[in-house]
Amino acid sequence: MIQTVKTNGFETDYFRFGKEGAQPLAVIPGLSLISVMTFADMVAKAYDCYAKDRDVILLDRRKQLPDEYSLTDMAEDTAAVLDRLGIKNSDIIGVSQGGIIALLLALSRPDLVRSLALCSTAASLSESSEGAVKAWVSSAKAGDKESLVRSFGEYVYTPSFFEANKAGILGMARIVGEEELERFAVLAGALTEVDLRSRLGEIKAPACVFAGAEDRIFTRESFTELSEGLRCELKLFEDFGHAVYDEMAGFHDAVNGFFHSI
């Protein structure tokens, strides 16, 4: 069931499932064209392996975005929501943009972070991926839903997965509205303004990096740089791209294995 938390002058949707009172697991999702709350039941099913022994909380971004909204702002909002929900020392799954938010959270509020599972994320964008993100922002601002959905899908999914699911992926353009485009432009634009590579050594929480070797948004080099900066293991899955977390059977079992190894 989707709930709304009010804190620090803003509202954020979240949903919670799993074992009440158990070790908390906060999930910070990545950038998307439509809120992950729309697919709450599907997400809960995908994350079922964590629910057996964890209190799982999946967080959306704040409802009303300011015109300028940085990743640092997103991390501060995430901390405020966790504080409001009374959650401390949480395991964190950060996916793509959510992984960068998780890194910022570990830097600014280490009391909230027990461990970090960093999925398809990096400490900064490469030059090529920055160009792709800027193109997405331009398409969103221009209202070009078809180009945005196609480009986003082609970058996120492997070619075989994209072709097999093309109708459904491209069909997203029919349900993305003006509000979603404006929101996407603000959230995506924040990605081009962060570089945490020099600060990774400050993070003390146990971490593990999970990524697809064929990721087109980030790269093998950026994943290696992240794992070396954090002095943690990199689990690189061949033949998968950015959305390895959706495409690979057993991905979440691998992440859960990391949590149980701590």
Side-chain angles (χ1 to χ4, degrees):
M1 178 181 175
I2 297 171
Q3 302 179 67
T4 301
V5 60
K6 299 180 180 180
T7 185
N8 288 20
F10 66 90
E11 296 183 349
T12 300
D13 285 341
Y14 71 98
F15 65 93
R16 195 167 189 168
F17 58 97
K19 188 175 181 180
E20 186 176 353
Q23 169 64 33
L25 169 61
V27 181
I28 309 176
L31 181 67
S32 61
L33 291 162
I34 297 174
S35 170
V36 70
M37 297 294 130
T38 307
F39 312 103
D41 290 341
M42 292 174 58
V43 174
K45 184 176 180 180
Y47 282 71
D48 182 63
C49 68
Y50 308 105
K52 296 177 178 64
D53 58 3
R54 277 181 168 74
D55 180 8
V56 185
I57 307 99
L58 194 142
L59 307 170
D60 203 355
R61 309 292 189 265
R62 68 154 65 191
K63 283 190 174 183
Q64 301 297 326
L65 299 183
D67 293 336
E68 299 294 331
Y69 190 47
S70 69
L71 284 160
T72 298
D73 294 331
M74 297 179 209
E76 290 176 354
D77 285 353
T78 300
V81 170
L82 292 176
D83 283 340
R84 182 68 178 84
L85 295 176
I87 295 168
K88 299 285 186 185
N89 198 37
S90 177
D91 293 319
I92 306 284
I93 295 178
V95 180
S96 192
Q97 185 185 68
I100 303 175
I101 296 171
L103 290 170
L104 286 162
L105 192 66
L107 286 165
S108 63
R109 290 291 306 277
D111 59 304
L112 297 177
V113 180
R114 174 179 178 264
S115 67
L116 293 165
L118 301 164
C119 307
S120 300
T121 195
S124 66
L125 289 180
S126 67
E127 185 175 334
S128 60
S129 58
E130 184 172 340
V133 171
K134 287 181 177 178
W136 295 343
V137 172
S138 295
S139 293
K141 289 182 175 179
D144 188 353
K145 297 187 288 186
E146 288 74 16
S147 294
L148 173 59
V149 170
R150 176 177 288 275
S151 178
F152 191 72
E154 289 176 341
Y155 266 88
V156 168
Y157 299 110
T158 55
S160 59
F161 186 92
F162 182 82
E163 286 301 318
N165 298 276
K166 182 186 288 187
I169 294 170
L170 297 183
M172 293 283 287
R174 295 193 298 270
I175 59 176
V176 174
E178 183 177 338
E179 184 177 340
E180 283 89 1
L181 290 175
E182 293 175 356
R183 184 176 179 85
F184 180 89
V186 172
L187 293 173
L191 279 169
T192 64
E193 301 169 0
V194 66
D195 187 345
L196 298 178
R197 288 175 291 183
S198 65
R199 299 197 62 194
L200 294 176
E202 300 173 34
I203 295 175
K204 305 305 179 187
C208 190
V209 179
F210 301 83
E214 305 304 319
D215 196 316
R216 293 187 61 200
I217 297 177
F218 298 113
T219 63
R220 285 176 180 254
E221 291 76 19
S222 64
F223 300 137
T224 299
E225 188 174 51
L226 177 60
S227 64
E228 290 179 349
L230 293 171
R231 304 171 303 283
C232 74
E233 185 177 4
L234 166 61
K235 292 185 180 294
L236 196 64
F237 303 104
E238 299 294 337
D239 302 322
F240 289 96
H242 189 74
V244 58
Y245 43 84
D246 284 338
E247 294 189 40
M248 178 183 156
F251 177 84
H252 290 291
D253 290 327
V255 175
N256 204 25
F258 159 66
F259 288 136
H260 284 289
S261 72
I262 299 170

